[in-house]
Amino acid sequence: MGEDERNKVVIDTDPGIDDAMAIFVALNSPEIEVIGLTTIYGNVYTTLATRNALHLLEIAGRTDIPVAEGSHVTITKGTKLRIADFVHGADGLGNLNFPPPKGKPIDQSAAAFLVEQANLYPGKVTVVALGPLTNVALAIELDPAFPKKIGQIVLLGGAFSVNGNVNPAAEANIFGDPDAADIVFTSGADILAVGINVTHQVVLTEADRNKLALSKGKYAQYLCKILGIYFSYHREAYSTQAVYLHDPTALLAAVNPSLLTYIEGVVRVQTSGITRGLTIFDNTKKRYGEITGWSNKPTVKVAVTVNAPAIVELVMDRLMNS
Ligand SMILES: O=c1[nH]cnc2c1ncn2[C@@H]1O[C@H](CO)[C@@H](O)[C@H]1O
């Protein structure tokens, strides 16, 4: 496949241990060309997300890929951000205290970079959004034609008909900026939402981790260093000796959509109250007797089943053969 035929991907990320895994899998996926990373708060604050994104590209020897720093606040300028340091460590990468990266982010905001790339390659860019959706919503605000110019938005977010992971209602990425998420879901872009109803089926076991540890692959080696805290968190929070592969699953959905099945409908996000961050799907089959918040809104795709063994195998292969 020629360079220009590959699917161009921008990863919007808050690294994050499972983000690191997704980024490495992406860099070792011949089907796609990673044309940039944009950063966002979530697992860590945005400044640290930028630092970690630059660091991971240095580990991978891919400093040719630009990093554009994203928003430090929510779309409504909120600063009470919820940071998941208890999942990933205070540094986001397992508390290993890696030295600071040598590289710098480009002199362009994440939203401006997203708009620019969508204009450069109309219909050809996929955004894989692995954190709260602020940058994507800002790109839509910056350029109302962005949803039609971007190829696809594959987002890790939502808990469709299952409990959330922040509280019973909300999944972490949607909870991080529910207003931005509602803008993105109703924007008319080609969206595939991969929620925790799907990613909780894709687990990396202790046996898989041992296999990674025995591998000489540089990504496998690096990840084994940082995975400890992610396993401890899952043991503590879910009483399981395995970890959920949230971000790698979303990334692979962009690489090969046939790894999942999805349904199509309208998604709205609750932006206030105890269910703030709740994602509600309307299958559009019922003709309601009144106009609802879902009426006449564009539909999106929501993942419902996943070929988990195939995803785990792909993740393992691409980390070990590196
Ligand atoms: O309990 C949690 N609270 C906050 N963030 C979490 C939790 N578990 C996982 N993640 C992070 O949020 C995304 C999936 O929702 C993933 O990026 C994961 O690393």
Side-chain angles (χ1 to χ4, degrees):
M1 228 191 301
E3 181 98 345
D4 293 333
E5 290 157 45
R6 287 183 299 160
N7 197 356
K8 295 182 191 303
V9 170
V10 178
I11 306 176
D12 188 65
T13 175
D14 55 341
I17 294 168
D18 57 329
D19 296 74
M21 207 180 272
I23 290 167
F24 289 155
V25 171
L27 295 177
N28 213 8
S29 289
E31 304 89 342
I32 61 170
E33 178 191 6
V34 180
I35 60 170
L37 303 185
T38 54
T39 65
I40 191 64
Y41 60 85
N43 296 322
V44 292
Y45 288 103
T46 303
T47 309
L48 192 47
T50 303
R51 176 185 155 132
N52 289 350
L54 291 164
H55 162 76
L56 292 168
L57 291 176
E58 288 180 9
I59 293 291
R62 291 301 308 273
T63 53
D64 56 303
I65 297 173
V67 174
E69 185 159 82
S71 185
H72 297 261
V73 297
T74 68
I75 195 92
T76 55
K77 308 275 187 285
T79 52
K80 276 180 77 181
L81 307 175
R82 186 179 179 283
I83 300 304
D85 53 359
F86 53 94
V87 182
H88 303 272
D91 68 352
L93 295 173
N95 287 334
L96 271 278
N97 296 313
F98 294 107
K102 295 189 183 71
K104 297 256 175 302
I106 58 171
D107 193 18
Q108 195 177 25
S109 72
F113 179 79
L114 287 169
V115 167
E116 181 193 76
Q117 296 305 310
N119 279 312
L120 271 175
Y121 310 107
K124 300 264 189 268
V125 179
T126 298
V127 181
V128 178
L130 303 178
L133 290 163
T134 319
N135 292 332
V136 183
L138 285 171
I140 295 167
E141 280 192 355
L142 205 58
D143 179 0
F146 178 78
K148 288 297 158 219
K149 285 191 271 191
I150 198 72
Q152 191 176 42
I153 300 169
V154 178
L155 66 90
L156 169 69
F160 296 92
S161 306
V162 298
N163 277 147
N165 55 4
V166 170
N167 61 47
E171 179 279 331
N173 287 342
I174 304 299
F175 189 77
D177 195 343
D179 302 278
D182 196 52
I183 291 171
V184 173
F185 274 119
T186 56
S187 68
D190 179 353
I191 290 175
L192 171 60
V194 181
I196 57 175
N197 48 303
V198 157
T199 60
H200 278 184
Q201 296 170 47
V202 188
V203 296
L204 187 91
T205 62
E206 284 283 3
D208 296 326
R209 183 189 183 185
N210 293 338
K211 215 165 131 192
L212 286 180
L214 290 175
S215 143
K216 296 214 164 32
K218 69 175 171 187
Y219 297 148
Q221 288 289 314
Y222 177 92
L223 280 163
C224 283
K225 282 195 237 160
I226 67 172
L227 268 171
I229 200 162
Y230 202 46
F231 271 85
S232 314
Y233 160 73
H234 284 76
R235 199 155 43 239
E236 177 84 4
Y238 296 99
S239 310
T240 167
Q241 304 275 33
V243 297
Y244 298 134
L245 297 184
H246 303 285
D247 293 347
T249 301
L251 187 280
L252 285 172
V255 170
N256 180 1
S258 71
L259 292 165
L260 303 101
T261 65
Y262 57 80
I263 50 176
E264 216 158 331
V266 177
V267 172
R268 295 300 307 266
V269 181
Q270 174 64 276
T271 55
S272 64
I274 61 164
T275 53
R276 184 175 155 80
L278 179 69
T279 42
I280 311 220
F281 176 83
D282 172 20
N283 66 17
T284 71
K285 302 277 189 283
K286 165 90 202 280
R287 281 183 298 279
Y288 290 101
E290 56 188 272
I291 302 287
T292 76
W294 289 256
S295 303
N296 306 315
K297 299 283 186 212
T299 60
V300 300
K301 304 181 189 80
V302 172
V304 283
T305 69
V306 60
N307 186 343
I311 291 199
V312 175
E313 191 180 330
L314 271 171
V315 169
M316 295 285 290
D317 280 353
R318 289 178 183 190
L319 296 177
M320 293 193 299
N321 297 314
S322 61

